[in-house]
Amino acid sequence: MAHTRRRQSGARSASRGRRTAAPREPQPGPTLELEVERIAHGGVSVARHEGRVVFVADAIPGERVLAQVVDAGHDRFWRADTLSVLRASTDRREHVWPEASVDREPAQRPGGAEFGHIRLARQRELKAEVLRDALARMGGVEWDVEVLPVRPELAPGVSVDDGTGWRTRVRLHVDAEGAVGPYAARSHTVVHVTSLPLAVPELAELAPLDERFPGARAIDLVAPSSGAAAVVVEGEGRTPRGEPPVIEEVVGDRTFRLDRDGFWQVHRGAAATLTQAVQELVDPDRFDPRAANQDLYGGVGLLAAAVGDRFGAGVRITTVEADVRATEHAGANLAEWVGARAVTARVDRYLDTLLAGSASERAGLHDATIVIDPPRSGAGRDVVDRLAELAPRQLVYVACDPVALARDVGFLAERGYRLEALRAFDLFPNTHHVEAVARLTAIV
């Protein structure tokens, strides 16, 4: 399971204040032989049966599979799990996580490695296809996408051959009997596994897969780049008083402090990869170090530091984050830059404050570069409209969801900004997730 960012998005939830319906129970359907056509967002492939779309898991485009329909409750599409492969793709390989193999009953396959049966190079092609298709459909942009691997020197110890050994954070769950394991794919059922191949070796060795933890809810495994790995048991009792434990993460020559349970990029080489990408995507000809530069959804200051290291100690930049503890760490992590400051605020409300500023204050924003690293749901229409009204010179958008990025690129195009540069990275090998960094500039 890809690490979920524990931050508020800038826009208020549309469901707040409304009564939500009870979850709909899946309706099982028939067993079908399916010709798999193409990949879809979310790690599933697309097939058709009598004109109806079937989203099928654990298949590869070009294959013929026997699949069990697990949800036939939708009028326009069904969902299915592959039971066996009748005609295999040349891109199929032995699954990197044996417990997630198609040979195992679907209900017992752990989630979080949904591309593990696909050759690594083909995984990246499929991720590029999803991003390219999303940009065309939702962003109105035709773009030749290439998904790049993490450079080996940025992620020592990570396998470049099969995409394993990269996760520095793993969450395991605990069932009613105290048994430990990941959730089954698309389920909240805890399944037993004997290995965690995507985890960095120190976590794979520490994982208490054969132990029992009665009364606990979850087990977090954390391996910071500096210091010892830890097993953290999340229990049913009250949270202990006092400040949470702090860890250190090293990126190049720089050290960042953050809470152990705070957000950090999960791939061992992700923080360094994104640091370099942001530094390269900021157009130096458009960058003004004296402008009111911004780092939105800034966490503990990783990308603000990337900008500071690229353009010097005199850079003026404000990092904005809704989480109080993260902002406190950001202030300390950015202390060497005289022009840096850390603000605790929701991004949409912070932008409202900027928009309410004086004409001279607003003028400083017109020359600004704004880095934005929103949660998986993206920035959304409300934040995009506020950004466009501020009219900065350039936006550097870090995205962990291709559909959210494409939607926001479309929103920005409506407000006079065009996609000028894009890089995509395979920060989640053997899953469907992909990270992208884009530069958007005002259309003159």
Side-chain angles (χ1 to χ4, degrees), residues 5 265 274 278 303 371-374 396-400 435-438:
R5 302 180 181 217
Q265 292 289 338
L274 293 177
V278 167
L303 300 182
V371 178
I372 176 171
D373 183 14
V396 177
Y397 190 130
V398 180
C400 56
E435 196 96 2
V437 184

Side-chain angles (χ1 to χ4, degrees), residues 22 66 74 90 145 187 223 228 368 407 414 432:
L66 182 68
H74 300 271
T90 56
V145 177
S187 168
R407 178 206 63 205
E414 295 172 5
H432 73 278

Side-chain angles (χ1 to χ4, degrees), residues 30-35 37 47-54 69 78:
T31 299
L32 306 172
E33 289 192 15
L34 298 172
E35 291 285 343
E37 299 175 3
R48 294 182 185 274
H49 174 71
E50 298 178 349
R52 178 184 279 107
V53 169
V54 182
V69 175
W78 289 348

Side-chain angles (χ1 to χ4, degrees), residues 10-186:
R12 180 173 297 179
S13 169
S15 64
R16 184 175 294 178
R18 301 178 185 174
R19 180 175 296 175
T20 57
R24 183 185 57 80
E25 288 294 325
Q27 299 179 25
T31 299
L32 306 172
E33 289 192 15
L34 298 172
E35 291 285 343
V36 183
E37 299 175 3
R38 58 183 176 84
I39 197 67
H41 179 50
V44 294
S45 295
V46 176
R48 294 182 185 274
H49 174 71
E50 298 178 349
R52 178 184 279 107
V53 169
V54 182
F55 294 113
V56 56
D58 300 320
I60 306 174
E63 292 188 326
R64 185 172 182 82
V65 301
L66 182 68
Q68 171 67 55
V69 175
V70 294
D71 189 356
H74 300 271
D75 294 333
R76 294 187 300 163
F77 65 88
W78 289 348
R79 297 189 182 277
D81 288 329
T82 298
L83 299 178
S84 61
V85 181
L86 306 177
R87 186 186 67 244
S89 166
T90 56
D91 293 313
R92 182 171 284 275
R93 64 176 182 180
E94 290 293 322
H95 205 293
V96 297
W97 197 356
E99 289 95 334
S101 170
V102 73
D103 298 328
R104 196 174 191 183
E105 287 295 320
Q108 293 300 310
R109 298 172 195 167
E114 61 277 3
F115 275 7
H117 60 291
I118 307 174
R119 218 172 29 90
L120 206 54
R122 181 61 174 148
Q123 290 184 34
R124 294 178 186 134
E125 291 172 356
L126 294 173
K127 295 178 187 187
E129 182 180 325
V130 169
L131 179 52
R132 184 167 53 246
D133 178 68
L135 286 170
R137 288 188 301 104
M138 305 182 70
V141 177
E142 298 290 335
W143 203 272
D144 185 16
V145 177
E146 180 184 8
V147 176
L148 302 172
V150 175
R151 287 164 40 196
E153 63 270 24
L154 299 182
V158 175
S159 171
V160 297
D161 296 322
D162 61 11
T164 57
W166 53 268
R167 288 193 65 100
T168 60
R169 296 186 179 208
V170 174
R171 167 157 279 214
L172 301 172
H173 302 276
V174 182
D175 68 13
E177 284 71 46
V180 176
Y183 281 148
R186 299 169 296 282

Side-chain angles (χ1 to χ4, degrees), residues 370-372 387 392-397 412 417 438-441:
I370 297 182
V371 178
I372 176 171
L387 288 172
R393 283 185 183 175
Q394 59 184 328
L395 292 164
V396 177
Y397 190 130
L412 284 161
Y417 280 80
R439 180 174 71 236
L440 298 105
T441 56

Side-chain angles (χ1 to χ4, degrees), residues 208-221:
L209 298 175
D210 293 324
E211 299 180 31
R212 289 188 175 269
F213 294 83
R217 289 192 299 268
I219 308 294
D220 285 326
L221 311 176

